[in-house]
């Protein structure tokens, strides 16, 4: 059991580093309140997700980074739960 704890701890550490790197590589989403105002038809913001960028976001590097970050986060949580149950 001690060996599994060490192996899972190393995997968890590597996953943590990977998550941090992926988050730092993503662009900031500074839309803030102006995006909400644009969605209501007021001035500012683009007003929705009908743009070409939003439709093809999954194929871009940013979309892939976002998806991989979610997967790595879920993987991190599963490893944390396993470590918690085992010890």
């Amino acid at each position: 059991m001690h060996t599994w704890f060490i192996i899972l701890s190393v995997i968890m550490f590597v996953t943590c580093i990977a998550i941090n790197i992926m988050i730092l590589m993503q662009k900031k989403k500074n839309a803030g309140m102006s995006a909400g105002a644009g969605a209501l038809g007021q001035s500012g913001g683009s007003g929705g997700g009908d743009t070409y960028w939003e439709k093809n976001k999954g194929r871009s590097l940013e979309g892939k980074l976002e998806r991989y970050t979610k997967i790595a986060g879920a993987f991190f949580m599963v490893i944390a739960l396993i470590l918690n149950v085992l010890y």
Side-chain angles (χ1 to χ4, degrees):
M1 284 292 212
H2 185 65
T3 306
W4 282 108
F5 181 77
I6 293 172
I7 292 171
L8 288 175
S9 296
V10 169
I11 292 172
M12 188 172 189
F13 179 75
V14 171
T15 305
C16 181
I17 297 297
I19 289 172
N20 284 317
I21 290 171
M22 286 187 284
I23 288 173
L24 290 173
M25 288 176 61
Q26 292 178 14
K27 292 183 181 179
K28 292 182 182 179
K29 296 180 181 176
N30 287 336
M33 293 296 288
S34 66
L40 295 174
Q42 300 169 354
S43 63
S46 64
D50 294 351
T51 63
Y52 179 77
W53 173 252
E54 289 296 324
K55 290 180 181 177
N56 293 312
K57 188 175 180 182
R59 295 184 207 169
S60 68
L61 177 62
E62 185 179 344
K64 289 178 183 176
L65 278 174
E66 193 173 311
R67 185 175 347 128
Y68 294 151
T69 304
K70 290 176 186 177
I71 292 169
F75 188 65
F76 180 83
M77 288 178 54
V78 168
I79 292 174
L81 287 172
I82 291 172
L83 284 172
N84 192 25
V85 169
L86 288 178
Y87 299 97

